[in-house]
Amino acid sequence: MTALAVRVDTTSPVPPYEQIRAQLAALILTSRLAEGERLPTVRQLAADLGLAPGTVARASRELEAAELIRTRRGAGSRVAAPPAEAQHPDPDQLATLARDFTSAARALGAGNEAILTAVQKALN
């Protein structure tokens, strides 16, 4: 199991479950989490992030509904196979990811130019 780079900003207006869902979805859709890779248990991830298990469970349910992960009792949650057809990104999810990134970058002291440069480098 890969160590997850999931962070939650408790000062963000974005609910913690949505931050977790968006970050895990991004890791899966960019193949940083590979098909079949096992995710930490809800309890473990909740403990790691200092959140209530119900918060992490909600994110997990939403990832299952989006068919990005699959969960089997006793076997845990694993990254699902990528969709066969091309996906069109949800504009709301993209906006949430952009807000989360921008907020985190600003917390580091980055200005607009530094943020745009980082995004351009990530795209190339």
Side-chain angles (χ1 to χ4, degrees):
M1 179 181 345
T2 302
L4 295 179
V6 175
R7 304 281 182 264
V8 174
D9 178 4
T10 56
T11 63
S12 171
V14 178
Y17 78 89
E18 177 57 23
Q19 292 180 50
I20 296 166
R21 187 211 56 77
Q23 290 175 57
L24 287 176
L27 290 170
I28 292 167
L29 293 172
T30 60
S31 300
R32 290 184 60 205
L33 287 175
E35 176 185 351
E37 193 164 346
R38 188 161 187 221
L39 299 176
T41 65
V42 166
R43 288 179 193 224
Q44 181 61 54
L45 188 54
D48 291 348
L49 296 173
L51 298 170
T55 301
V56 176
R58 181 168 179 186
S60 181
R61 285 192 303 272
E62 293 198 12
L63 290 167
E64 283 184 84
E67 299 181 355
L68 294 175
I69 65 170
R70 63 183 185 283
T71 302
R72 288 191 339 209
R73 187 177 182 115
S77 295
R78 294 187 181 271
V79 175
E85 61 205 45
Q87 290 219 341
H88 299 286
D90 176 6
D92 291 334
Q93 289 179 341
L94 285 175
T96 298
L97 289 170
R99 270 193 312 272
D100 290 348
F101 171 73
T102 303
S103 177
R106 289 196 194 289
L108 293 174
N112 290 349
E113 284 299 314
I115 293 170
L116 288 172
T117 299
V119 169
Q120 288 172 337
K121 282 184 180 180
L123 290 171
N124 296 328

